[in-house]
Amino acid sequence: MTERKVTVESVICDPTVGVAEGFERCENEYTALFAERGTAMRISYTEQSEGTEIKSDITLTDAHVRVRRTGAIESDFLFVEGETTTSLYKIPPYAFDAKITTKKIRNNLTRLGGKLTIIYDMNVGGADKNVRMTITLAEATE
């Protein structure tokens, strides 16, 4: 595993009010561990939020992208272009049904860097959202 810098950007829109009023954007940068085995890649990082810890593992294969989070937030989302998958989204002690419909996956990540963009519709606990998540991988900085 090698150390890399990862930037995670999410733009989440509420389709009931439109982009002009109902969107939120967040961008965070982390130090991550990157591993590659054959055509599969794995990016792992830990984030701190309000005194809690969330560990994220992103696994990429030719067939799908899996984003698994554990800790203060727990989820296991599987993204397969053109398909709908279901899961649970947990913020203990609460748990919500989650449905993910993946519209596009654009991946040009290599061990040297690059970008992964996933565009999807999400329904968590009955609330619909349109999401664009972009993960950028770069050399770790001192």
Side-chain angles (χ1 to χ4, degrees):
M1 293 188 113
T2 57
E3 198 170 273
R4 293 285 187 259
K5 177 178 82 171
V6 66
T7 303
V8 180
E9 176 191 14
S10 294
V11 177
I12 303 169
C13 299
D14 181 340
T16 63
V17 296
V19 174
E21 298 173 28
F23 83 95
E24 61 183 89
R25 180 184 176 277
C26 62
E27 182 175 325
N28 294 295
E29 187 176 290
Y30 309 100
T31 299
L33 292 176
F34 175 82
E36 191 173 32
R37 180 176 288 173
T39 60
M41 292 180 246
R42 182 176 174 197
I43 301 167
S44 301
Y45 61 91
T46 301
E47 60 188 285
Q48 304 289 328
S49 176
E50 299 176 11
T52 64
E53 187 174 270
I54 303 162
K55 293 182 180 184
S56 297
D57 283 309
I58 302 165
T59 306
L60 300 91
T61 69
D62 292 338
H64 67 267
V65 177
R66 171 170 257 139
V67 178
R68 186 167 181 256
R69 300 171 86 193
T70 57
I73 295 174
E74 296 179 15
S75 62
D76 188 359
F77 292 161
L78 182 64
F79 300 94
V80 181
E81 191 165 311
E83 293 189 19
T84 299
T85 59
T86 58
S87 185
L88 282 178
Y89 183 82
K90 299 178 188 176
I91 304 174
Y94 305 103
F96 305 94
D97 290 328
K99 182 171 80 170
I100 306 292
T101 302
T102 308
K103 295 180 173 247
K104 290 183 184 178
I105 298 174
R106 297 297 175 256
N107 178 20
N108 68 6
L109 288 177
T110 70
R111 73 176 74 82
L112 301 175
K115 251 183 211 186
L116 166 69
T117 301
I118 305 171
I119 299 171
Y120 60 99
D121 294 334
M122 174 172 66
N123 180 293
V124 175
D128 289 322
K129 303 291 181 186
N130 305 119
V131 184
R132 184 187 75 225
M133 177 173 59
T134 302
I135 297 166
T136 306
L137 191 68
E139 292 285 331
T141 55
E142 297 297 318

